[in-house]
Amino acid sequence: MIPEKIGFIGLGHIGGSVAKTIHRIHPQIELIAYDISRETLDMALEEGVISKECSGVTDEFADCDYIYLCAPVLNNNDYVQTLSGILHDDMLLTDVGSVKNRIHENIQQYPELEKHFIGGHPMCGTEHVGYEYSTPYMLENAFYLLTPTETVPSSKVAEFEAFVKSIGALPMILDYKKHDFSVGSISHLPTVIASTLVSLVKNLDDDSETLRTIAAGGFKDITRVASSDPTMWENICIANRNQIIQLIDLYMKALKETRDTIAGGQEDEIKQFFSSAKEYRDSFNISHKGALHPVYQLFLDLIDEAGGIATVATILATNGISIKNIGIIHNREFQQGVLQVEFYDQATYKKSVELLKKHHYTIYEK
């Protein structure tokens, strides 16, 4: 069932992208929003993304089918009590935060809310913040983690899961505690590590800024997330503090083991360390059947010249092949340039490999 009316509380980078995506795919759905920034609301209204800007979380939200909490993680809880007074039986409440423990624990204090709540986390976005950086295609083929409460009806979960699929994302249902540990491992901890590494290099740099000058390739890639919004990460570190501390302790233990391996000077052990890491990292790109869908992607050498990507896309398009995703791998320390292309099914993937090889491209099948 497609909802008739959806309300947004907060309309920043992620909330704005969700709203724009819904408006693009389901233009018949009425969207209303409240945000502390009047400029943001005016922009969304002018673009036609929302049909009404609200002055607060008022009764204007009472007839919404879905309500999205899209404020910063620590601020979402401020609206929970207010919402408990306007929810009706058919309403669904969700959020887009990357930490789930606080919102779930707060929701549990309101039994009338708990049966309506399905936590949500679209795993997309950039280091930028604000509605002006939101896009109507950011959710395309992105994992969208769902953390329903124990009391929300299974029919409501299935309905929302179908809606998430309808806007181009890939839903995955998790327990909220497992969500926080999982996301802490692959998102929160890496950002802490990246920021720590940047701070270390900054302190090691000389007056001529030698390290800053030559920082490129791998260093820039692995520390990109250190450019993320400090306020957002303040929120995340407070909200997911216990999990992040536990993961930092585990990382420090692992780093000590790596130090000991290098200090030992045993060539085989050092090589095995890097080989094991490489094998697991490379498996991210292997065509396999995971928890949701198989992944069919290839990599090919591409010289940096105008029209290079367009040529590949034209070859595939003229042969009736649809591309699911395409993009450049930006780390140029170890290769000239590599184009990553993802397809919808195995048959298309195999046909593309053969076709591009005939056009003398060097293909790397991960």
Side-chain angles (χ1 to χ4, degrees):
M1 185 185 76
I2 300 299
E4 295 181 2
K5 184 176 181 180
I6 296 177
F8 286 83
I9 300 173
L11 208 60
H13 184 43
I14 300 300
S17 294
V18 174
K20 287 180 179 181
T21 300
I22 293 173
H23 179 67
R24 173 176 64 85
I25 297 176
H26 301 296
Q28 76 279 15
I29 298 177
E30 180 185 358
L31 304 182
I32 67 172
Y34 162 70
D35 193 278
I36 59 173
S37 168
R38 184 59 184 264
E39 183 180 355
T40 291
L41 292 174
D42 289 344
M43 196 183 310
L45 194 63
E46 184 178 342
E47 293 175 352
V49 174
I50 62 173
S51 60
K52 186 174 186 179
E53 52 184 50
C54 303
S55 58
V57 183
T58 64
D59 288 343
E60 294 171 300
F61 286 87
D63 60 345
C64 288
D65 299 298
Y66 295 171
I67 293 180
Y68 278 82
L69 284 169
C70 304
V73 171
L74 295 183
N75 299 112
N76 274 335
N77 288 334
D78 297 341
Y79 302 105
V80 170
Q81 186 173 7
T82 302
L83 289 170
S84 67
I86 66 173
L87 283 179
H88 57 75
D89 288 344
D90 296 327
M91 188 179 287
L92 184 146
L93 177 64
T94 187
D95 75 325
V96 296
S98 66
V99 180
K100 288 287 170 273
N101 64 76
R102 284 202 174 202
I103 188 71
H104 270 271
E105 289 168 3
N106 195 11
I107 290 288
Q108 288 167 7
Q109 298 177 33
Y110 301 90
E112 69 277 16
L113 272 182
E114 193 173 6
K115 62 183 179 181
H116 296 277
F117 184 71
I118 300 176
H121 177 197
M123 297 197 68
C124 57
T126 68
E127 62 271 24
H128 301 296
V129 295
Y131 178 82
E132 61 268 32
Y133 293 105
S134 61
T135 78
Y137 292 93
M138 192 176 294
L139 276 74
E140 190 75 21
N141 297 311
F143 287 112
Y144 197 123
L145 306 183
L146 303 178
T147 60
T149 65
E150 293 182 357
T151 59
V152 68
S154 58
S155 59
K156 186 63 73 174
V157 176
E159 175 192 316
F160 191 55
E161 186 177 9
F163 180 72
V164 168
K165 287 181 181 178
S166 79
I167 60 175
L170 304 174
M172 182 177 182
I173 297 175
L174 289 177
D175 170 79
Y176 77 89
K177 293 179 181 178
K178 184 173 183 179
H179 168 279
D180 283 1
F181 181 81
S182 301
V183 174
S185 300
I186 56 91
S187 175
H188 302 167
L189 178 65
T191 301
V192 171
I193 293 171
S195 298
T196 303
L197 182 57
V198 169
S199 296
L200 173 64
V201 169
K202 174 186 175 183
N203 293 333
L204 292 174
D205 211 352
D206 55 30
D207 293 338
S208 300
E209 296 189 328
T210 302
L211 299 183
R212 180 181 179 182
T213 302
I214 65 174
F219 183 81
K220 288 182 71 175
D221 281 350
I222 65 174
T223 59
R224 178 185 60 81
V225 291
S227 293
S228 300
D229 177 47
T231 300
M232 178 182 73
W233 282 100
E234 174 194 2
N235 275 253
I236 288 173
C237 285
I238 292 173
N240 205 28
R241 177 176 55 190
N242 293 338
Q243 297 283 17
I244 292 174
I245 290 173
Q246 179 187 356
L247 289 163
I248 289 174
D249 290 342
L250 291 171
Y251 178 73
M252 290 173 65
K253 180 182 177 182
L255 191 61
K256 173 64 165 56
E257 292 172 354
T258 302
R259 179 198 178 282
D260 292 343
T261 297
I262 296 173
Q266 298 297 315
E267 296 177 3
D268 289 345
E269 291 185 10
I270 294 174
K271 183 176 182 179
Q272 177 57 33
F273 164 73
F274 286 104
S275 295
S276 177
K278 180 183 185 304
E279 181 180 355
Y280 185 68
R281 176 61 180 82
D282 288 348
S283 74
F284 296 173
N285 300 321
I286 291 176
S287 298
H288 67 285
K289 290 191 175 181
L292 294 175
H293 302 283
V295 178
Y296 304 104
Q297 58 186 359
L298 58 81
F299 297 77
L300 63 134
D301 280 341
L302 190 69
I303 298 173
D304 262 343
E305 61 182 12
I309 297 177
T311 300
V312 172
T314 300
I315 291 171
L316 297 175
T318 54
N319 284 273
I321 294 174
S322 296
I323 296 172
K324 185 176 183 180
N325 271 319
I326 188 168
I328 288 287
I329 304 299
H330 292 290
N331 187 345
R332 301 290 178 89
E333 284 190 318
F334 305 110
Q335 61 240 348
Q336 254 191 313
V338 172
L339 187 69
Q340 177 181 353
V341 189
E342 185 177 352
F343 305 93
Y344 286 95
D345 54 64
Q346 188 174 30
T348 303
Y349 164 78
K350 289 183 176 180
K351 181 180 178 182
S352 301
V353 170
E354 294 176 3
L355 186 62
L356 291 170
K357 283 182 177 179
K358 285 181 180 178
H359 282 79
H360 309 295
Y361 285 97
T362 300
I363 306 296
Y364 300 95
E365 299 180 65
K366 293 293 185 178

